[in-house]
Amino acid sequence: MSNLKNFLFTSESVSEGHPDKVSDRISDMVVDSYLSRDPFSRVACETLTTTNKVVLAGEVRGPEIKEDELIDKVRGCIKDIGYDQDGFTWKEATKIESHLHSQSSDIAMGVDSSGNKDEGAGDQGLMFGYACNETDELMPAPIHYSHKILRLMAEDRKSGLLKNIEPDNKSQITFEYIDGKPTKVRSVVISSQHSPDINQAQVRDLLRPYMIKTIPKKFLEVFDDSELYINPTGNFVIGGPDGDTGLTGRKIIVDTYGGAAPHGGGAFSGKDPTKVDRSAAYAARYIAKNVVASKISEKCLIQLAYAIGVSKPLSIYVDLFDNDLEKNKFVVDSINRNFDLTPRGIREMLNLNKPIYEKTSAYGHFGRAPEVNGSFSWEKIDKINAFNK
């Protein structure tokens, strides 16, 4: 985000029923299936979803899992999301193909530890982490509330409280920032797949309460209801993978900070935690969140860079957005002293070799509550003391 003090900023989210998110969910289910049997499995799974078809492709190294078992789990994902439509269903009408095969021995050689060589990064690349004090979760306000609208809708849809709304939804919120702080909501967009039994006025009546429930009153005090756009194109009955092809990894800005921070370009879903695209982005968020939680800075951006087969990051970049060079150096030194940012070090620090990834596939990988099973461990704020001067 720029150095402007007064501006409008917008972020979007998409629901678990969005075609790309269906693909992310299935890919992360495959990761969890392997990690639950062998915590050191290697998985890189891509998923394509379209009208009554799902295709898995990628590389794995780990225990044998029968294709029929994986296909049954794919159907379980689709059923849980809520799809049982003519063009996409968890039932037999949707054909599922698996083209998973063994991991390349060349990649394995560069990544594995051997002799005196520590385990290397699974690829080159750069990963960013970000945190700011705009919300209690230390996330940017536009993406945080965009996620929350859709999450609440999904919970009520699945419980039966929200009827005639189907799984494929999108949201988008524009905040006005004054003196660098979010002060009011200027516009809200919700696009939602719905049953043919209701019209657009009814869709609006069903979904407007989710904006009210989600966004704190202080941001809506002067909100103009004409700036609430619900299904602005009109009818939205055909949706999900029947309406639009889905692919793993196409919603990387939704998955992270809604555009409020840079992105290195690597997707998360479908990758086991040896892939630094995923694990180093989690580590960077962990560090940035602890920096901001320590109150040394109102916001923090971290960049980590890696080379394939090399264990330590090639560079660590920190921006605290306040031009305090001494403080910036202190934070960099503290990171070097307190965080092992090798692939192995990250996995051990955040306990990532667990089947904890399927639930990350929708409503963001960041700003979530850490859970007792180890999910969202990168959201803990247990390293604050590392940044107390």
Side-chain angles (χ1 to χ4, degrees):
M1 202 180 280
S2 74
N3 291 323
L4 289 172
K5 292 294 185 183
N6 302 328
F7 54 90
L8 301 180
F9 193 80
T10 305
S11 294
E12 71 154 348
S13 179
V14 299
S15 71
E16 63 202 78
H18 185 282
D20 295 331
K21 283 288 148 204
V22 176
S23 296
D24 284 345
R25 167 78 177 265
I26 291 168
S27 292
D28 276 335
M29 174 277 292
V30 173
V31 172
D32 283 355
S33 296
Y34 278 91
L35 291 178
S36 65
R37 299 192 185 187
D38 178 357
F40 299 102
S41 296
R42 300 286 172 84
V43 184
C45 175
E46 310 292 344
T47 303
L48 176 145
T49 54
T50 186
T51 303
N52 282 336
K53 178 163 276 196
V54 177
V55 180
L56 309 182
E59 303 80 48
V60 296
R61 189 176 73 185
E64 182 181 353
I65 299 181
K66 288 189 166 49
E67 188 174 304
D68 288 349
E69 181 183 342
L70 273 184
I71 287 172
D72 285 344
K73 288 186 172 187
V74 171
R75 295 195 189 282
C77 291
I78 298 169
K79 184 177 184 180
D80 182 68
I81 291 168
Y83 277 115
D84 187 12
Q85 302 169 359
D86 287 345
F88 196 70
T89 174
W90 61 272
K91 295 174 183 171
E92 294 297 321
T94 293
K95 304 304 178 191
I96 302 171
E97 301 173 14
S98 175
H99 300 279
L100 296 171
H101 59 84
S102 295
Q103 184 189 51
S104 155
S105 58
D106 288 350
I107 291 177
M109 179 178 63
V111 172
D112 289 348
S113 57
S114 61
N116 294 323
K117 175 185 173 294
D118 194 10
E119 175 188 306
D123 202 352
Q124 71 175 47
L126 39 139
M127 298 83 210
F128 288 93
Y130 182 71
C132 62
N133 63 1
E134 294 178 14
T135 62
D136 290 343
E137 294 77 9
L138 303 184
M139 286 289 287
I143 188 67
H144 175 72
Y145 295 116
S146 294
H147 285 323
K148 191 173 179 183
I149 284 177
L150 299 184
R151 188 167 44 77
L152 294 179
M153 284 171 54
E155 288 170 2
D156 286 356
R157 175 177 59 79
K158 290 179 174 184
S159 72
L161 282 174
L162 180 59
K163 300 186 187 307
N164 290 308
I165 295 298
E166 300 293 342
D168 188 0
N169 325 114
K170 299 175 82 169
S171 65
Q172 182 173 290
I173 301 178
T174 299
F175 269 83
E176 181 174 351
Y177 283 71
I178 297 176
D179 199 24
K181 301 288 185 187
T183 57
K184 55 188 173 186
V185 169
R186 289 283 292 267
S187 66
V188 176
V189 184
I190 307 173
S191 295
S192 179
Q193 185 187 18
H194 58 88
S195 80
D197 303 327
I198 58 173
N199 60 36
Q200 294 311 308
Q202 291 168 309
V203 173
R204 186 181 180 90
D205 288 343
L206 285 172
L207 300 187
R208 185 179 180 278
Y210 289 93
M211 177 188 77
I212 306 300
K213 274 192 281 191
T214 295
I215 301 172
K217 284 182 182 176
K218 64 180 180 179
F219 295 130
L220 292 174
E221 284 175 356
V222 294
F223 182 74
D224 181 348
D225 222 42
S226 68
E227 295 299 317
L228 170 61
Y229 302 92
I230 292 183
N231 283 7
T233 60
N235 227 35
F236 187 4
V237 173
I238 299 170
D242 186 27
D244 189 12
T245 299
L247 290 171
T248 302
R250 282 207 301 203
K251 288 292 175 282
I252 58 177
I253 301 302
V254 170
D255 284 344
T256 52
Y257 307 102
H263 196 296
F268 301 157
S269 290
K271 297 175 183 176
D272 73 77
T274 67
K275 276 71 171 177
V276 284
D277 275 346
R278 180 168 221 157
S279 57
Y282 291 170
R285 162 66 178 173
Y286 179 52
I287 296 168
K289 187 173 184 183
N290 276 272
V291 168
V292 174
S294 76
K295 296 192 163 39
I296 194 173
S297 178
E298 292 188 352
K299 52 185 177 176
C300 175
L301 176 70
I302 307 284
Q303 185 206 58
L304 305 174
Y306 291 85
I308 188 167
V310 179
S311 59
K312 290 191 174 180
L314 305 184
S315 67
I316 300 172
Y317 167 82
V318 175
D319 189 352
L320 303 177
F321 301 90
D322 58 8
N323 297 315
D324 186 331
L325 298 181
E326 183 185 339
K327 187 181 9 170
N328 210 85
K329 183 178 184 305
F330 167 76
V331 169
V332 173
D333 290 344
S334 296
I335 292 169
N336 282 317
R337 282 196 309 271
N338 292 282
F339 297 87
D340 180 351
L341 295 174
T342 64
R344 185 200 305 275
I346 291 170
R347 291 203 314 282
E348 291 176 353
M349 173 175 68
L350 298 176
N351 207 2
L352 296 180
N353 285 101
K354 288 182 166 185
I356 55 174
Y357 298 104
E358 193 174 337
K359 62 177 62 177
T360 67
S361 61
Y363 315 116
H365 292 245
F366 307 126
R368 312 281 289 272
E371 299 181 6
V372 291
N373 70 347
S375 298
F376 306 104
S377 58
W378 48 94
E379 292 295 314
K380 295 183 296 185
I381 47 173
D382 56 355
K383 292 276 195 176
I384 293 174
N385 289 340
F387 303 106
N388 285 335
K389 274 194 169 186

